[in-house]
Amino acid sequence: MGIFEPFRAIGYIPSGVPFSIQRLGNETSVTVSVGKAFQVYNCGKLTLVLFSPQLHHKIHALASYLDFTSVVYAADICVFKRAHQLATWSRHSGKVNSLMVFRDHAISVDVDGNLLILGFKGVEENYAPVGHIMMGDKFTPTCMMHLDTYLNKVLIGSQEGGLQLWNVSTMKMLFEVKGWDLSVTSCVSSPALDVVTVGCADGKIRVYNTRYDEEVVTFTHSMPGAVIALSFGTDGQPLLASGGSSGVISIWNLEKRKLQSVVREAHDSSIIALHFSANEPALMSSSADNSIKSDYVDCKRGGCYNSFLVLPYASAFLK
């Protein structure tokens, strides 16, 4: 064994894992994966707040809840309170590829289609799951989300193109959408009741009403590639932001049902995650090009402005 162990890489900001937004009181922070560790930035100025110790494997999913950060590496889920490791949950037999925390539930899905529901009321070592759902051979989960106002319900997208709505308390499937025969690559809840937006591998964005089982409107990216990230504006502007493998961010006007603007040089690589700040016209984005950006979106000006990059010297260390 060598004398030195890796501690922190200079200029390493985010990896290819979607970030997690955490709001406590008036403070909002963003947690990003940096290989075998994670970092927390203040959303206001994008300054580094804290960083975690190195784990044994690379992180490939993370989620934040109150003061807790849950990260996935290999088949394990590791729970931190700020930068202090509290517990490790080892309940999956296969690699975990998705993790979501909402209210008192932590939900994880592995490559074999096993969905485990963990109670998050207390953090204990190897806490026993309160529920288990097997998705089946013809439904390979790719993304999941909690619908606003839907108590204990989770919508899951699949590689086969279908959607399933599950009640994680009763562990029963409520309904299934056959889909569009194309992989669902992202999904997000809208401010409107019963409405979700689904991004697909063919570059199409489908705004879908779950109550009436019908599409409201469909948008198509002008650039080729899958729709990887989606976010709705919450400041009164009827906007939807989308990003994909081309590195371009598209802003859609939902009221006029058309493309509002395109940020063509948003990032140099795939858009990994997007997030509109609560009640503000600020859009945060992260990319596989090792950067986080925050842009102000204004319909009156027709697009985005005042964009800035976190630590732009980082690319010099990594490329």
Side-chain angles (χ1 to χ4, degrees):
M1 180 180 293
I3 299 175
F4 300 104
E5 293 184 0
F7 173 62
R8 186 161 54 127
I10 299 175
Y12 200 4
I13 303 169
S15 62
V17 177
F19 57 62
S20 177
I21 300 294
Q22 186 177 16
R23 187 176 179 87
L24 289 175
N26 296 325
E27 295 292 328
T28 305
S29 59
V30 55
T31 304
V32 298
S33 165
V34 286
K36 296 181 180 180
F38 66 85
Q39 295 178 346
V40 179
Y41 290 89
N42 178 283
C43 285
K45 297 181 179 179
L46 286 179
T47 53
L48 183 63
V49 177
L50 63 88
F51 50 86
S52 75
Q54 293 279 325
L55 299 174
H56 299 295
H57 302 279
K58 287 186 177 181
I59 297 171
H60 45 86
L62 56 84
S64 302
Y65 174 75
L66 299 179
D67 286 334
F68 300 100
T69 300
S70 301
V71 299
V72 173
Y73 62 93
D76 297 331
I77 301 172
C78 190
V79 183
F80 289 81
K81 186 169 185 179
R82 293 185 65 81
H84 303 287
Q85 185 174 342
L86 298 179
T88 301
W89 296 334
S90 302
R91 292 292 175 176
H92 284 274
S93 57
K95 179 182 177 181
V96 180
N97 55 16
S98 297
L99 176 68
M100 181 178 67
V101 177
F102 75 97
R103 296 183 180 174
D104 295 330
H105 295 98
I107 301 174
S108 55
V109 182
D110 62 29
V111 293
D112 299 323
N114 293 291
L115 186 149
L116 296 184
I117 304 151
L118 298 164
F120 210 82
K121 294 182 179 179
V123 179
E124 300 176 7
E125 193 75 19
N126 276 325
Y127 192 74
V130 298
H132 171 235
I133 296 171
M134 185 63 195
M135 307 306 298
D137 297 335
K138 297 182 180 180
F139 191 91
T140 308
T142 55
C143 58
M144 58 180 172
M145 53 161 285
H146 168 60
L147 285 80
D148 295 337
T149 74
Y150 279 51
L151 185 64
N152 300 326
K153 296 176 180 64
V154 174
L155 185 69
I156 304 172
S158 72
Q159 186 174 333
E160 292 76 15
L163 301 168
Q164 292 183 356
L165 182 67
W166 287 81
N167 187 316
V168 295
S169 293
T170 62
M171 288 173 286
K172 293 182 179 179
M173 186 174 67
L174 303 181
F175 73 83
E176 182 176 12
V177 180
K178 294 302 181 183
W180 305 274
D181 296 326
L182 288 165
S183 177
V184 175
T185 51
S186 57
C187 55
V188 65
S189 179
S190 85
L193 187 65
D194 304 319
V195 177
V196 300
T197 297
V198 176
C200 297
D202 62 347
K204 291 187 181 297
I205 304 164
R206 293 174 168 89
V207 182
Y208 189 82
N209 190 303
T210 57
R211 178 177 291 274
Y212 297 103
D213 191 17
E214 64 180 13
E215 287 187 38
V216 179
V217 63
T218 300
F219 301 119
T220 303
H221 269 202
S222 58
M223 302 295 291
V227 180
I228 301 174
L230 295 163
S231 182
F232 280 95
T234 58
D235 67 327
Q237 299 185 87
L239 300 179
L240 169 67
S242 63
S245 53
S246 62
V248 172
I249 297 177
S250 299
I251 309 295
W252 307 90
N253 190 310
L254 299 171
E255 190 174 77
K256 298 179 180 179
R257 299 192 175 191
K258 68 177 186 179
L259 183 65
Q260 179 74 28
S261 64
V262 177
V263 187
R264 298 192 180 278
E265 298 180 357
H267 290 277
D268 296 329
S269 188
S270 300
I271 306 294
I272 301 301
L274 292 170
H275 176 76
F276 270 107
S277 299
N279 303 316
E280 294 181 9
L283 176 65
M284 182 173 293
S285 61
S286 72
S287 168
D289 65 359
N290 190 40
S291 68
I292 303 174
K293 291 185 179 182
S294 183
D295 300 285
Y296 288 96
V297 182
D298 191 348
C299 278
K300 296 179 181 179
R301 298 194 182 194
C304 300
Y305 60 99
N306 291 350
S307 173
F308 59 91
L309 173 67
V310 180
L311 302 180
Y313 61 78
S315 59
F317 290 92
L318 300 180
K319 296 181 180 179

